[in-house]
Amino acid sequence: MWVLQRAREYDSDSGTPIPTVFDRLAVAGAEFRFGQLHLIASAPGVGKSVLALTLAVWAGVPALYFSADSDAATQYARAASIVTGDPVVMVMDALKRKETSKYDAALNRTRHVRFVFDSSPSLNDLNDHVMAYAWAFGRFPRLVVVDNVSNVFNELEGFAGLEDTMDWLHQLARKTSACVVGLHHVTGDYESGDTVVPLSGLRGKISKLPVLILTLNRAFGAVQDVLNIAVVKNRAGQAAANGTLSIPIAMNLARMWMETKVAPHLLKAA
């Protein structure tokens, strides 16, 4: 048993934000924190995987990314595009021609992110990989991304299985002090991707345990596309379950670019 002051000293990182990647989210009080579970949800193709990968790349903390929804070539192309600013199609063409030396060198910037590409890992598989990471590096990852939580195999069916998976991820965050980010789908009413998604739009209604839930939709501007990020749950700040607290960030998915605190010239430095 602990008094709160000593408990805080023992787990000093828990609840503190990871290095800021998206300034607009930080200003709004919607930050990703160590020791806590977070959820990002959207329709397919809106950009939740790119958002999560951008977070993992630019936060710069040791990360473990469970990429159940995307294969190695896809993530290679996305990450190379993120760090170089080259269009994804250019990276994919280089992969086809087996002329990847430029991108191999550029991706040295992402060596703090380790990937697992099991398409349907079980909770035991997740645990084994986390423990293997700790064995290999002498500490737990500081950031864990699960893309997507619905791809995690669970012996329980339907909503019960999703709820059990979220409970396990919640415990993972607590026990390792990692910032855990799960990606998730939305209900059919919001599958178009251009409509703001409220908290009730989450598939399976798995909103109980995450401290921060963001939903995404795309808007098309006259100059550039915009990713609309709705803060629908936030235990550390303001939120609006109906999706009206929205934060727009500029993006260009052709280049895997999203508006961050990273200086623009760094995107071309590789």
Side-chain angles (χ1 to χ4, degrees), residues 64 66 125-134 140-141 168 172 176:
L64 183 58
F66 290 96
D125 292 332
L126 298 185
N127 185 72
D128 288 346
H129 283 294
V130 170
M131 296 306 295
Y133 184 104
F140 290 113
W168 190 91
L172 175 68
T176 67

Side-chain angles (χ1 to χ4, degrees), residues 10 32 50 74 80 83 124 127 155 223 227 256:
Y10 177 78
F32 297 93
V50 180
T74 299
V83 299
N124 284 336
N127 185 72
E155 292 183 356
V223 177
L227 182 67
M256 297 292 114

Side-chain angles (χ1 to χ4, degrees), residues 111-191:
R111 292 183 67 84
H112 60 282
V113 187
R114 300 297 166 126
F115 291 86
V116 177
F117 291 103
D118 294 352
S119 61
S120 184
S122 66
L123 294 180
N124 284 336
D125 292 332
L126 298 185
N127 185 72
D128 288 346
H129 283 294
V130 170
M131 296 306 295
Y133 184 104
W135 180 267
F137 297 104
R139 66 173 302 166
F140 290 113
R142 306 297 286 131
L143 171 65
V144 176
V145 178
V146 180
D147 181 4
N148 287 290
V149 296
S150 58
N151 290 110
V152 177
F153 172 77
N154 197 298
E155 292 183 356
L156 300 176
E157 295 184 359
F159 167 67
L162 279 173
E163 190 174 47
D164 187 57
T165 296
M166 293 300 289
D167 181 65
W168 190 91
L169 293 175
H170 172 68
Q171 293 299 323
L172 175 68
R174 284 290 185 88
K175 292 179 179 180
T176 67
S177 292
C179 171
V180 179
V181 180
L183 276 57
H184 193 44
H185 299 295
V186 295
T187 60
D189 292 341
Y190 304 100
E191 286 288 315

Side-chain angles (χ1 to χ4, degrees), residues 32 38-42 48 51-52 181-184 213-216:
F32 297 93
H38 314 74
L39 194 67
I40 302 171
S42 77
K48 60 181 178 292
L51 184 77
V181 180
L183 276 57
H184 193 44
I213 301 179
L214 307 175
T215 64
L216 315 179

